[in-house]
PDB file of all heavy atoms in Angstrom:
ATOM      1  N   GLU K 193     -27.086 -21.007 -21.567  1.00 74.00           N
ATOM      2  CA  GLU K 193     -26.552 -20.852 -22.911  1.00 74.00           C
ATOM      3  C   GLU K 193     -26.868 -19.453 -23.438  1.00 74.00           C
ATOM      4  O   GLU K 193     -27.969 -18.944 -23.291  1.00 74.00           O
ATOM      5  CB  GLU K 193     -27.169 -21.902 -23.842  1.00 74.00           C
ATOM      6  CG  GLU K 193     -26.610 -21.893 -25.248  1.00 74.00           C
ATOM      7  CD  GLU K 193     -27.215 -22.988 -26.114  1.00 74.00           C
ATOM      8  OE1 GLU K 193     -28.008 -23.798 -25.573  1.00 74.00           O
ATOM      9  OE2 GLU K 193     -26.896 -23.019 -27.318  1.00 74.00           O
ATOM     10  N   GLY K 194     -25.911 -18.820 -24.028  1.00 72.00           N
ATOM     11  CA  GLY K 194     -26.093 -17.476 -24.556  1.00 72.00           C
ATOM     12  C   GLY K 194     -25.600 -16.383 -23.637  1.00 72.00           C
ATOM     13  O   GLY K 194     -25.495 -15.222 -24.052  1.00 72.00           O
ATOM     14  N   ALA K 195     -25.288 -16.728 -22.366  1.00 68.00           N
ATOM     15  CA  ALA K 195     -24.828 -15.704 -21.422  1.00 68.00           C
ATOM     16  C   ALA K 195     -23.518 -15.084 -21.890  1.00 68.00           C
ATOM     17  O   ALA K 195     -23.317 -13.871 -21.799  1.00 68.00           O
ATOM     18  CB  ALA K 195     -24.659 -16.321 -20.030  1.00 68.00           C
ATOM     19  N   ARG K 196     -22.622 -15.912 -22.410  1.00 68.00           N
ATOM     20  CA  ARG K 196     -21.333 -15.396 -22.876  1.00 68.00           C
ATOM     21  C   ARG K 196     -21.523 -14.429 -24.032  1.00 68.00           C
ATOM     22  O   ARG K 196     -20.885 -13.372 -24.094  1.00 68.00           O
ATOM     23  CB  ARG K 196     -20.432 -16.557 -23.299  1.00 68.00           C
ATOM     24  CG  ARG K 196     -19.052 -16.135 -23.763  1.00 68.00           C
ATOM     25  CD  ARG K 196     -18.256 -17.353 -24.237  1.00 68.00           C
ATOM     26  NE  ARG K 196     -16.910 -16.995 -24.630  1.00 68.00           N
ATOM     27  CZ  ARG K 196     -16.583 -16.457 -25.790  1.00 68.00           C
ATOM     28  NH1 ARG K 196     -17.542 -16.204 -26.691  1.00 68.00           N
ATOM     29  NH2 ARG K 196     -15.321 -16.158 -26.072  1.00 68.00           N
ATOM     30  N   ASP K 197     -22.411 -14.765 -24.985  1.00 73.00           N
ATOM     31  CA  ASP K 197     -22.632 -13.905 -26.142  1.00 73.00           C
ATOM     32  C   ASP K 197     -23.217 -12.558 -25.728  1.00 73.00           C
ATOM     33  O   ASP K 197     -22.910 -11.527 -26.334  1.00 73.00           O
ATOM     34  CB  ASP K 197     -23.566 -14.587 -27.147  1.00 73.00           C
ATOM     35  CG  ASP K 197     -22.930 -15.834 -27.761  1.00 73.00           C
ATOM     36  OD1 ASP K 197     -21.685 -15.905 -27.770  1.00 73.00           O
ATOM     37  OD2 ASP K 197     -23.665 -16.731 -28.197  1.00 73.00           O
ATOM     38  N   LEU K 198     -24.064 -12.565 -24.684  1.00 72.00           N
ATOM     39  CA  LEU K 198     -24.638 -11.304 -24.210  1.00 72.00           C
ATOM     40  C   LEU K 198     -23.558 -10.392 -23.656  1.00 72.00           C
ATOM     41  O   LEU K 198     -23.565  -9.182 -23.889  1.00 72.00           O
ATOM     42  CB  LEU K 198     -25.693 -11.584 -23.128  1.00 72.00           C
ATOM     43  CG  LEU K 198     -27.007 -12.200 -23.610  1.00 72.00           C
ATOM     44  CD1 LEU K 198     -27.898 -12.526 -22.425  1.00 72.00           C
ATOM     45  CD2 LEU K 198     -27.722 -11.229 -24.553  1.00 72.00           C
ATOM     46  N   VAL K 199     -22.619 -10.960 -22.918  1.00 68.00           N
ATOM     47  CA  VAL K 199     -21.543 -10.158 -22.339  1.00 68.00           C
ATOM     48  C   VAL K 199     -20.607  -9.654 -23.423  1.00 68.00           C
ATOM     49  O   VAL K 199     -20.201  -8.495 -23.430  1.00 68.00           O
ATOM     50  CB  VAL K 199     -20.751 -10.986 -21.288  1.00 68.00           C
ATOM     51  CG1 VAL K 199     -19.527 -10.226 -20.818  1.00 68.00           C
ATOM     52  CG2 VAL K 199     -21.654 -11.329 -20.120  1.00 68.00           C
ATOM     53  N   VAL K 200     -20.265 -10.535 -24.368  1.00 65.00           N
ATOM     54  CA  VAL K 200     -19.352 -10.140 -25.440  1.00 65.00           C
ATOM     55  C   VAL K 200     -19.964  -9.025 -26.289  1.00 65.00           C
ATOM     56  O   VAL K 200     -19.271  -8.097 -26.712  1.00 65.00           O
ATOM     57  CB  VAL K 200     -19.008 -11.354 -26.330  1.00 65.00           C
ATOM     58  CG1 VAL K 200     -18.234 -10.915 -27.564  1.00 65.00           C
ATOM     59  CG2 VAL K 200     -18.191 -12.363 -25.536  1.00 65.00           C
ATOM     60  N   GLY K 201     -21.288  -9.078 -26.513  1.00 65.00           N
ATOM     61  CA  GLY K 201     -21.930  -8.100 -27.366  1.00 65.00           C
ATOM     62  C   GLY K 201     -22.342  -6.820 -26.677  1.00 65.00           C
ATOM     63  O   GLY K 201     -22.770  -5.866 -27.321  1.00 65.00           O
ATOM     64  N   ALA K 202     -22.207  -6.763 -25.332  1.00 60.00           N
ATOM     65  CA  ALA K 202     -22.619  -5.570 -24.605  1.00 60.00           C
ATOM     66  C   ALA K 202     -21.641  -4.427 -24.838  1.00 60.00           C
ATOM     67  O   ALA K 202     -20.437  -4.652 -24.930  1.00 60.00           O
ATOM     68  CB  ALA K 202     -22.714  -5.879 -23.112  1.00 60.00           C
ATOM     69  N   PRO K 203     -22.124  -3.168 -24.929  1.00 60.00           N
ATOM     70  CA  PRO K 203     -21.214  -2.030 -25.106  1.00 60.00           C
ATOM     71  C   PRO K 203     -20.281  -1.912 -23.913  1.00 60.00           C
ATOM     72  O   PRO K 203     -20.695  -2.083 -22.772  1.00 60.00           O
ATOM     73  CB  PRO K 203     -22.157  -0.819 -25.191  1.00 60.00           C
ATOM     74  CG  PRO K 203     -23.493  -1.398 -25.513  1.00 60.00           C
ATOM     75  CD  PRO K 203     -23.526  -2.763 -24.910  1.00 60.00           C
ATOM     76  N   GLN K 204     -19.018  -1.638 -24.176  1.00 56.00           N
ATOM     77  CA  GLN K 204     -18.046  -1.436 -23.113  1.00 56.00           C
ATOM     78  C   GLN K 204     -18.010   0.036 -22.726  1.00 56.00           C
ATOM     79  O   GLN K 204     -18.510   0.903 -23.426  1.00 56.00           O
ATOM     80  CB  GLN K 204     -16.658  -1.896 -23.582  1.00 56.00           C
ATOM     81  CG  GLN K 204     -16.630  -3.343 -24.025  1.00 56.00           C
ATOM     82  CD  GLN K 204     -17.016  -4.287 -22.915  1.00 56.00           C
ATOM     83  OE1 GLN K 204     -16.488  -4.203 -21.818  1.00 56.00           O
ATOM     84  NE2 GLN K 204     -17.947  -5.183 -23.186  1.00 56.00           N
ATOM     85  N   ARG K 205     -17.381   0.323 -21.608  1.00 55.00           N
ATOM     86  CA  ARG K 205     -17.275   1.704 -21.163  1.00 55.00           C
ATOM     87  C   ARG K 205     -16.523   2.526 -22.210  1.00 55.00           C
ATOM     88  O   ARG K 205     -15.447   2.145 -22.644  1.00 55.00           O
ATOM     89  CB  ARG K 205     -16.532   1.773 -19.837  1.00 55.00           C
ATOM     90  CG  ARG K 205     -16.486   3.186 -19.246  1.00 55.00           C
ATOM     91  CD  ARG K 205     -15.870   3.158 -17.859  1.00 55.00           C
ATOM     92  NE  ARG K 205     -15.805   4.481 -17.283  1.00 55.00           N
ATOM     93  CZ  ARG K 205     -16.822   5.093 -16.676  1.00 55.00           C
ATOM     94  NH1 ARG K 205     -17.970   4.458 -16.558  1.00 55.00           N
ATOM     95  NH2 ARG K 205     -16.695   6.300 -16.169  1.00 55.00           N
ATOM     96  N   GLY K 206     -17.095   3.652 -22.576  1.00 53.00           N
ATOM     97  CA  GLY K 206     -16.462   4.467 -23.608  1.00 53.00           C
ATOM     98  C   GLY K 206     -16.962   4.143 -25.001  1.00 53.00           C
ATOM     99  O   GLY K 206     -16.505   4.696 -25.961  1.00 53.00           O
ATOM    100  N   GLN K 207     -17.941   3.192 -25.093  1.00 53.00           N
ATOM    101  CA  GLN K 207     -18.511   2.829 -26.374  1.00 53.00           C
ATOM    102  C   GLN K 207     -20.024   2.960 -26.282  1.00 53.00           C
ATOM    103  O   GLN K 207     -20.581   2.990 -25.203  1.00 53.00           O
ATOM    104  CB  GLN K 207     -18.152   1.405 -26.774  1.00 53.00           C
ATOM    105  CG  GLN K 207     -16.660   1.174 -26.904  1.00 53.00           C
ATOM    106  CD  GLN K 207     -16.356  -0.273 -27.199  1.00 53.00           C
ATOM    107  OE1 GLN K 207     -17.260  -1.096 -27.253  1.00 53.00           O
ATOM    108  NE2 GLN K 207     -15.090  -0.567 -27.390  1.00 53.00           N
ATOM    109  N   GLY K 208     -20.699   3.007 -27.420  1.00 50.00           N
ATOM    110  CA  GLY K 208     -22.149   3.028 -27.419  1.00 50.00           C
ATOM    111  C   GLY K 208     -22.680   4.405 -27.065  1.00 50.00           C
ATOM    112  O   GLY K 208     -21.971   5.407 -27.077  1.00 50.00           O
ATOM    113  N   ASP K 209     -23.971   4.484 -26.688  1.00 48.00           N
ATOM    114  CA  ASP K 209     -24.636   5.740 -26.390  1.00 48.00           C
ATOM    115  C   ASP K 209     -25.182   5.680 -24.986  1.00 48.00           C
ATOM    116  O   ASP K 209     -26.070   4.889 -24.701  1.00 48.00           O
ATOM    117  CB  ASP K 209     -25.792   5.981 -27.379  1.00 48.00           C
ATOM    118  CG  ASP K 209     -25.269   6.067 -28.809  1.00 48.00           C
ATOM    119  OD1 ASP K 209     -24.148   6.569 -28.963  1.00 48.00           O
ATOM    120  OD2 ASP K 209     -25.981   5.635 -29.717  1.00 48.00           O
ATOM    121  N   GLY K 210     -24.676   6.526 -24.103  1.00 48.00           N
ATOM    122  CA  GLY K 210     -25.212   6.445 -22.769  1.00 48.00           C
ATOM    123  C   GLY K 210     -24.937   7.598 -21.851  1.00 48.00           C
ATOM    124  O   GLY K 210     -25.777   7.922 -21.043  1.00 48.00           O
ATOM    125  N   ASP K 211     -23.757   8.283 -21.903  1.00 48.00           N
ATOM    126  CA  ASP K 211     -23.509   9.275 -20.882  1.00 48.00           C
ATOM    127  C   ASP K 211     -22.733  10.506 -21.359  1.00 48.00           C
ATOM    128  O   ASP K 211     -22.131  11.197 -20.580  1.00 48.00           O
ATOM    129  CB  ASP K 211     -22.763   8.649 -19.706  1.00 48.00           C
ATOM    130  CG  ASP K 211     -21.453   8.014 -20.140  1.00 48.00           C
ATOM    131  OD1 ASP K 211     -21.096   8.162 -21.312  1.00 48.00           O
ATOM    132  OD2 ASP K 211     -20.806   7.386 -19.287  1.00 48.00           O
ATOM    133  N   ARG K 212     -22.736  10.777 -22.688  1.00 47.00           N
ATOM    134  CA  ARG K 212     -22.060  11.980 -23.132  1.00 47.00           C
ATOM    135  C   ARG K 212     -23.009  13.167 -22.981  1.00 47.00           C
ATOM    136  O   ARG K 212     -24.199  13.050 -23.267  1.00 47.00           O
ATOM    137  CB  ARG K 212     -21.628  11.854 -24.593  1.00 47.00           C
ATOM    138  CG  ARG K 212     -20.561  12.893 -24.957  1.00 47.00           C
ATOM    139  CD  ARG K 212     -20.123  12.749 -26.396  1.00 47.00           C
ATOM    140  NE  ARG K 212     -21.112  13.340 -27.298  1.00 47.00           N
ATOM    141  CZ  ARG K 212     -20.954  13.384 -28.608  1.00 47.00           C
ATOM    142  NH1 ARG K 212     -19.893  12.850 -29.169  1.00 47.00           N
ATOM    143  NH2 ARG K 212     -21.861  13.941 -29.374  1.00 47.00           N
ATOM    144  N   PRO K 213     -22.528  14.331 -22.527  1.00 45.00           N
ATOM    145  CA  PRO K 213     -23.422  15.493 -22.387  1.00 45.00           C
ATOM    146  C   PRO K 213     -24.111  15.814 -23.707  1.00 45.00           C
ATOM    147  O   PRO K 213     -23.550  15.607 -24.786  1.00 45.00           O
ATOM    148  CB  PRO K 213     -22.446  16.614 -21.962  1.00 45.00           C
ATOM    149  CG  PRO K 213     -21.272  15.899 -21.376  1.00 45.00           C
ATOM    150  CD  PRO K 213     -21.162  14.620 -22.149  1.00 45.00           C
ATOM    151  N   TYR K 214     -25.305  16.420 -23.574  1.00 43.00           N
ATOM    152  CA  TYR K 214     -26.103  16.711 -24.779  1.00 43.00           C
ATOM    153  C   TYR K 214     -25.392  17.722 -25.674  1.00 43.00           C
ATOM    154  O   TYR K 214     -24.994  17.444 -26.775  1.00 43.00           O
ATOM    155  CB  TYR K 214     -27.478  17.222 -24.359  1.00 43.00           C
ATOM    156  CG  TYR K 214     -28.313  17.700 -25.518  1.00 43.00           C
ATOM    157  CD1 TYR K 214     -28.899  16.773 -26.371  1.00 43.00           C
ATOM    158  CD2 TYR K 214     -28.490  19.054 -25.750  1.00 43.00           C
ATOM    159  CE1 TYR K 214     -29.658  17.199 -27.449  1.00 43.00           C
ATOM    160  CE2 TYR K 214     -29.249  19.479 -26.821  1.00 43.00           C
ATOM    161  CZ  TYR K 214     -29.831  18.548 -27.663  1.00 43.00           C
ATOM    162  OH  TYR K 214     -30.582  18.962 -28.712  1.00 43.00           O
ATOM    163  N   ASP K 215     -25.228  18.953 -25.188  1.00 47.00           N
ATOM    164  CA  ASP K 215     -24.546  20.002 -25.921  1.00 47.00           C
ATOM    165  C   ASP K 215     -24.082  21.040 -24.904  1.00 47.00           C
ATOM    166  O   ASP K 215     -24.494  21.006 -23.741  1.00 47.00           O
ATOM    167  CB  ASP K 215     -25.477  20.683 -26.939  1.00 47.00           C
ATOM    168  CG  ASP K 215     -25.484  19.934 -28.272  1.00 47.00           C
ATOM    169  OD1 ASP K 215     -24.419  19.411 -28.653  1.00 47.00           O
ATOM    170  OD2 ASP K 215     -26.551  19.878 -28.908  1.00 47.00           O
ATOM    171  N   ALA K 216     -23.254  21.957 -25.336  1.00 46.00           N
ATOM    172  CA  ALA K 216     -22.791  23.007 -24.429  1.00 46.00           C
ATOM    173  C   ALA K 216     -23.970  23.870 -24.004  1.00 46.00           C
ATOM    174  O   ALA K 216     -24.903  24.094 -24.774  1.00 46.00           O
ATOM    175  CB  ALA K 216     -21.728  23.856 -25.122  1.00 46.00           C
ATOM    176  N   PRO K 217     -23.958  24.388 -22.750  1.00 49.00           N
ATOM    177  CA  PRO K 217     -25.046  25.254 -22.292  1.00 49.00           C
ATOM    178  C   PRO K 217     -25.197  26.460 -23.203  1.00 49.00           C
ATOM    179  O   PRO K 217     -24.215  27.029 -23.695  1.00 49.00           O
ATOM    180  CB  PRO K 217     -24.590  25.678 -20.888  1.00 49.00           C
ATOM    181  CG  PRO K 217     -23.634  24.619 -20.463  1.00 49.00           C
ATOM    182  CD  PRO K 217     -22.955  24.160 -21.715  1.00 49.00           C
ATOM    183  N   GLY K 218     -26.445  26.864 -23.405  1.00 49.00           N
ATOM    184  CA  GLY K 218     -26.704  28.034 -24.228  1.00 49.00           C
ATOM    185  C   GLY K 218     -26.738  27.756 -25.707  1.00 49.00           C
ATOM    186  O   GLY K 218     -26.802  28.672 -26.508  1.00 49.00           O
ATOM    187  N   ARG K 219     -26.667  26.464 -26.107  1.00 47.00           N
ATOM    188  CA  ARG K 219     -26.699  26.106 -27.523  1.00 47.00           C
ATOM    189  C   ARG K 219     -27.805  25.079 -27.740  1.00 47.00           C
ATOM    190  O   ARG K 219     -28.210  24.376 -26.829  1.00 47.00           O
ATOM    191  CB  ARG K 219     -25.367  25.500 -27.969  1.00 47.00           C
ATOM    192  CG  ARG K 219     -24.145  26.336 -27.621  1.00 47.00           C
ATOM    193  CD  ARG K 219     -24.005  27.557 -28.501  1.00 47.00           C
ATOM    194  NE  ARG K 219     -23.525  27.194 -29.814  1.00 47.00           N
ATOM    195  CZ  ARG K 219     -23.395  28.056 -30.809  1.00 47.00           C
ATOM    196  NH1 ARG K 219     -23.725  29.334 -30.638  1.00 47.00           N
ATOM    197  NH2 ARG K 219     -22.944  27.671 -31.986  1.00 47.00           N
ATOM    198  N   HIS K 220     -28.314  24.995 -28.939  1.00 47.00           N
ATOM    199  CA  HIS K 220     -29.273  23.961 -29.255  1.00 47.00           C
ATOM    200  C   HIS K 220     -28.938  23.401 -30.628  1.00 47.00           C
ATOM    201  O   HIS K 220     -28.219  24.022 -31.405  1.00 47.00           O
ATOM    202  CB  HIS K 220     -30.699  24.509 -29.235  1.00 47.00           C
ATOM    203  CG  HIS K 220     -31.055  25.301 -30.467  1.00 47.00           C
ATOM    204  ND1 HIS K 220     -30.680  26.616 -30.629  1.00 47.00           N
ATOM    205  CD2 HIS K 220     -31.722  24.941 -31.597  1.00 47.00           C
ATOM    206  CE1 HIS K 220     -31.116  27.056 -31.806  1.00 47.00           C
ATOM    207  NE2 HIS K 220     -31.739  26.061 -32.419  1.00 47.00           N
ATOM    208  N   ARG K 221     -29.458  22.228 -30.916  1.00 47.00           N
ATOM    209  CA  ARG K 221     -29.213  21.612 -32.215  1.00 47.00           C
ATOM    210  C   ARG K 221     -30.468  21.734 -33.070  1.00 47.00           C
ATOM    211  O   ARG K 221     -31.568  21.421 -32.634  1.00 47.00           O
ATOM    212  CB  ARG K 221     -28.841  20.125 -32.057  1.00 47.00           C
ATOM    213  CG  ARG K 221     -28.574  19.436 -33.375  1.00 47.00           C
ATOM    214  CD  ARG K 221     -28.098  18.008 -33.160  1.00 47.00           C
ATOM    215  NE  ARG K 221     -26.805  17.980 -32.510  1.00 47.00           N
ATOM    216  CZ  ARG K 221     -25.649  18.135 -33.143  1.00 47.00           C
ATOM    217  NH1 ARG K 221     -25.629  18.332 -34.450  1.00 47.00           N
ATOM    218  NH2 ARG K 221     -24.517  18.095 -32.486  1.00 47.00           N
ATOM    219  N   ASP K 222     -30.266  22.215 -34.275  1.00 48.00           N
ATOM    220  CA  ASP K 222     -31.343  22.256 -35.241  1.00 48.00           C
ATOM    221  C   ASP K 222     -31.516  20.851 -35.796  1.00 48.00           C
ATOM    222  O   ASP K 222     -30.678  20.375 -36.551  1.00 48.00           O
ATOM    223  CB  ASP K 222     -30.993  23.237 -36.368  1.00 48.00           C
ATOM    224  CG  ASP K 222     -32.144  23.396 -37.358  1.00 48.00           C
ATOM    225  OD1 ASP K 222     -32.940  22.442 -37.513  1.00 48.00           O
ATOM    226  OD2 ASP K 222     -32.216  24.462 -37.973  1.00 48.00           O
ATOM    227  N   HIS K 223     -32.562  20.130 -35.383  1.00 47.00           N
ATOM    228  CA  HIS K 223     -32.721  18.730 -35.765  1.00 47.00           C
ATOM    229  C   HIS K 223     -33.005  18.552 -37.249  1.00 47.00           C
ATOM    230  O   HIS K 223     -32.850  17.466 -37.786  1.00 47.00           O
ATOM    231  CB  HIS K 223     -33.852  18.104 -34.942  1.00 47.00           C
ATOM    232  CG  HIS K 223     -33.538  18.063 -33.480  1.00 47.00           C
ATOM    233  ND1 HIS K 223     -32.538  17.274 -32.957  1.00 47.00           N
ATOM    234  CD2 HIS K 223     -34.077  18.745 -32.442  1.00 47.00           C
ATOM    235  CE1 HIS K 223     -32.485  17.439 -31.638  1.00 47.00           C
ATOM    236  NE2 HIS K 223     -33.404  18.332 -31.314  1.00 47.00           N
ATOM    237  N   HIS K 224     -33.452  19.642 -37.913  1.00 46.00           N
ATOM    238  CA  HIS K 224     -33.758  19.516 -39.330  1.00 46.00           C
ATOM    239  C   HIS K 224     -32.497  19.646 -40.188  1.00 46.00           C
ATOM    240  O   HIS K 224     -32.394  19.055 -41.237  1.00 46.00           O
ATOM    241  CB  HIS K 224     -34.781  20.582 -39.749  1.00 46.00           C
ATOM    242  CG  HIS K 224     -36.085  20.427 -39.022  1.00 46.00           C
ATOM    243  ND1 HIS K 224     -36.953  19.414 -39.267  1.00 46.00           N
ATOM    244  CD2 HIS K 224     -36.643  21.185 -38.022  1.00 46.00           C
ATOM    245  CE1 HIS K 224     -38.026  19.526 -38.484  1.00 46.00           C
ATOM    246  NE2 HIS K 224     -37.846  20.598 -37.707  1.00 46.00           N
ATOM    247  N   HIS K 225     -31.529  20.450 -39.704  1.00 47.00           N
ATOM    248  CA  HIS K 225     -30.345  20.709 -40.514  1.00 47.00           C
ATOM    249  C   HIS K 225     -29.062  20.259 -39.851  1.00 47.00           C
ATOM    250  O   HIS K 225     -28.001  20.347 -40.445  1.00 47.00           O
ATOM    251  CB  HIS K 225     -30.248  22.208 -40.841  1.00 47.00           C
ATOM    252  CG  HIS K 225     -31.471  22.730 -41.511  1.00 47.00           C
ATOM    253  ND1 HIS K 225     -31.804  22.405 -42.806  1.00 47.00           N
ATOM    254  CD2 HIS K 225     -32.471  23.536 -41.046  1.00 47.00           C
ATOM    255  CE1 HIS K 225     -32.941  23.015 -43.137  1.00 47.00           C
ATOM    256  NE2 HIS K 225     -33.370  23.696 -42.077  1.00 47.00           N
ATOM    257  N   GLY K 226     -29.157  19.780 -38.611  1.00 44.00           N
ATOM    258  CA  GLY K 226     -27.970  19.282 -37.930  1.00 44.00           C
ATOM    259  C   GLY K 226     -27.012  20.387 -37.541  1.00 44.00           C
ATOM    260  O   GLY K 226     -25.829  20.159 -37.357  1.00 44.00           O
ATOM    261  N   ARG K 227     -27.500  21.711 -37.453  1.00 47.00           N
ATOM    262  CA  ARG K 227     -26.621  22.809 -37.106  1.00 47.00           C
ATOM    263  C   ARG K 227     -26.877  23.243 -35.680  1.00 47.00           C
ATOM    264  O   ARG K 227     -27.964  23.110 -35.140  1.00 47.00           O
ATOM    265  CB  ARG K 227     -26.857  24.005 -38.052  1.00 47.00           C
ATOM    266  CG  ARG K 227     -26.484  23.721 -39.497  1.00 47.00           C
ATOM    267  CD  ARG K 227     -26.758  24.935 -40.375  1.00 47.00           C
ATOM    268  NE  ARG K 227     -28.204  25.134 -40.587  1.00 47.00           N
ATOM    269  CZ  ARG K 227     -28.923  26.038 -39.938  1.00 47.00           C
ATOM    270  NH1 ARG K 227     -28.371  26.821 -39.031  1.00 47.00           N
ATOM    271  NH2 ARG K 227     -30.213  26.167 -40.204  1.00 47.00           N
ATOM    272  N   LEU K 228     -25.816  23.792 -35.050  1.00 45.00           N
ATOM    273  CA  LEU K 228     -25.969  24.366 -33.720  1.00 45.00           C
ATOM    274  C   LEU K 228     -26.276  25.848 -33.848  1.00 45.00           C
ATOM    275  O   LEU K 228     -25.695  26.555 -34.675  1.00 45.00           O
ATOM    276  CB  LEU K 228     -24.679  24.168 -32.908  1.00 45.00           C
ATOM    277  CG  LEU K 228     -24.362  22.731 -32.507  1.00 45.00           C
ATOM    278  CD1 LEU K 228     -23.000  22.683 -31.807  1.00 45.00           C
ATOM    279  CD2 LEU K 228     -25.437  22.167 -31.598  1.00 45.00           C
TER     280      LEU K 228
END
Side-chain angles (χ1 to χ4, degrees):
E193 184 178 356
R196 182 183 183 280
D197 294 336
L198 288 175
V199 173
V200 171
Q204 303 299 310
R205 185 174 180 82
Q207 300 176 357
D209 299 326
D211 57 6
R212 198 179 78 178
Y214 173 75
D215 273 325
R219 308 286 285 175
H220 78 279
R221 180 175 294 278
D222 184 332
H223 296 293
H224 298 289
H225 304 289
R227 295 179 287 102
L228 291 175

